[in-house]
Amino acid sequence: MPYSIMLDAGHGGRDPGAVYNGRQEKDDTLALTLAIGEILQNRGVDVEYTRTTDVYESPYQKAMEANNAGVDFFVSIHRNSYPTDNAVSGVESLVYDLSGIKLEMAENINSQLETVGFVNLGVKARPGLVVLRRTRMPAVLVEVGFINSDTDNYLFDNNFDDIALAIADGILDTLGVDTEPDVPDGQDTSSQSRGYTVQAGAFRNGTYASRLQNELVAQDFPAVVSQGDGLYRVTVGTFPTLDEAVQMERRLKRAGYQTVIVSE
């Protein structure tokens, strides 16, 4: 039976989280959380999300959502902040207490992120945080660099895919799951072309996905809906290169949509 995990994109909706030069934590966390989820799903992990769009839920609601889903693990993605801009940089992970598999997972995630270039600030106990205190399963909150650090933002923007993979690998290492995607015996992947698409939304309710698709199509975006892993995903286009996908993502963001680029 596969492991199950609830991924939480920190903040959302009316709660932007930390803000720096117009950059909002809630946007970074949502994009990264969806990218991590894609990787974990491809490795056979059952993934659920507290949010897949820009909506607000209280920390208590998120903890109860994880408890009601009965998942094995809870991982919350955040960006850190410091009172003085560009004074501190690095990643740290928070757990209820420094024991058990949650500590191991937090240390593994930090170690993987260190290979991307972040300073490893270690794992800290934060028993007062609701999403760590009220969840009934092992829970980790990852602070993926400081949002008011230009150094960390540069790493975040220019190594986004590597960061998503690092966090996913830290989780998978803890679970003892193969970090390589399954490939049928005898299949050569060296010559396979890698395509990209831009995800504009993912919903548990297909009605919401259809509504977003119709809205995008009305604006001449070639949106389609696909179903898998319990989610209805709305994606726009298929592109042979990352640069082409980035151009579409920019168009969608200018139109006011939250997006994430995913590889096919």
Side-chain angles (χ1 to χ4, degrees):
M1 185 174 180
Y3 287 103
S4 59
I5 187 167
M6 179 74 76
L7 292 181
D8 169 44
H11 307 282
R14 67 175 184 268
D15 175 16
V19 177
Y20 175 63
N21 290 340
R23 184 176 192 138
Q24 299 184 93
E25 181 181 1
K26 67 174 184 177
D27 298 329
D28 285 356
T29 62
L30 180 58
L32 184 57
T33 296
L34 293 175
I36 296 165
E38 288 283 340
I39 297 169
L40 292 175
Q41 288 170 346
N42 290 337
R43 304 301 194 272
V45 177
D46 287 339
V47 179
E48 296 194 40
Y49 303 88
T50 58
R51 70 181 180 100
T52 57
T53 57
D54 187 21
V55 296
Y56 173 78
E57 286 186 343
S58 70
Y60 177 81
Q61 287 174 304
K62 293 179 176 185
M64 292 305 102
E65 195 171 338
N67 291 342
N68 292 336
V71 295
D72 299 314
F73 296 90
F74 180 92
V75 176
S76 186
I77 303 300
H78 286 254
R79 300 290 312 278
N80 220 333
S81 184
Y82 192 77
T84 304
D85 295 342
N86 293 303
V88 180
S89 62
V91 296
E92 65 179 0
S93 289
L94 310 178
V95 293
Y96 181 77
D97 58 40
L98 300 178
S99 68
I101 194 170
K102 62 184 180 296
L103 174 60
E104 180 184 349
M105 181 176 288
E107 290 175 338
N108 286 340
I109 290 171
N110 280 13
S111 295
Q112 289 286 347
L113 287 170
E114 191 174 5
T115 68
V116 178
F118 286 105
V119 175
N120 186 349
L121 299 176
V123 180
K124 298 177 177 61
R126 289 290 187 274
L129 293 179
V130 172
V131 293
L132 302 180
R133 186 177 77 248
R134 300 305 295 267
T135 42
R136 297 185 188 132
M137 68 291 300
V140 178
L141 189 152
V142 186
E143 299 276 13
V144 189
F146 285 76
I147 200 167
N148 60 339
S149 163
D150 293 335
T151 298
D152 283 353
N153 286 338
Y154 180 86
L155 280 171
F156 190 96
D157 294 336
N158 290 277
N159 300 274
F160 182 86
D161 291 340
D162 290 337
I163 291 168
L165 182 60
I167 295 173
D169 281 350
I171 295 169
L172 295 168
D173 286 346
T174 309
L175 305 181
V177 176
D178 188 357
T179 58
E180 294 298 325
D182 292 335
V183 178
D185 291 341
Q187 181 174 328
D188 181 10
T189 62
S190 60
S191 61
Q192 288 182 333
S193 60
R194 186 184 186 190
Y196 299 87
T197 188
V198 183
Q199 181 171 293
F203 307 89
R204 294 188 180 91
N205 189 322
T207 300
Y208 299 146
S210 296
R211 187 179 302 164
L212 177 58
Q213 180 195 21
N214 293 335
E215 181 181 310
L216 289 166
V217 169
Q219 299 175 70
D220 295 324
F221 289 110
V224 297
V225 176
S226 60
Q227 184 180 4
D229 302 310
L231 289 174
Y232 296 85
R233 291 180 172 80
V234 182
T235 56
V236 179
T238 301
F239 308 96
T241 68
L242 181 58
D243 285 344
E244 291 172 284
V246 168
Q247 291 176 22
M248 175 57 75
E249 183 186 39
R250 287 172 179 165
R251 283 184 56 200
L252 286 162
K253 285 186 173 180
R254 284 197 298 269
Y257 295 99
Q258 298 296 326
T259 62
V260 60
I261 295 175
V262 297
S263 58
E264 296 189 312

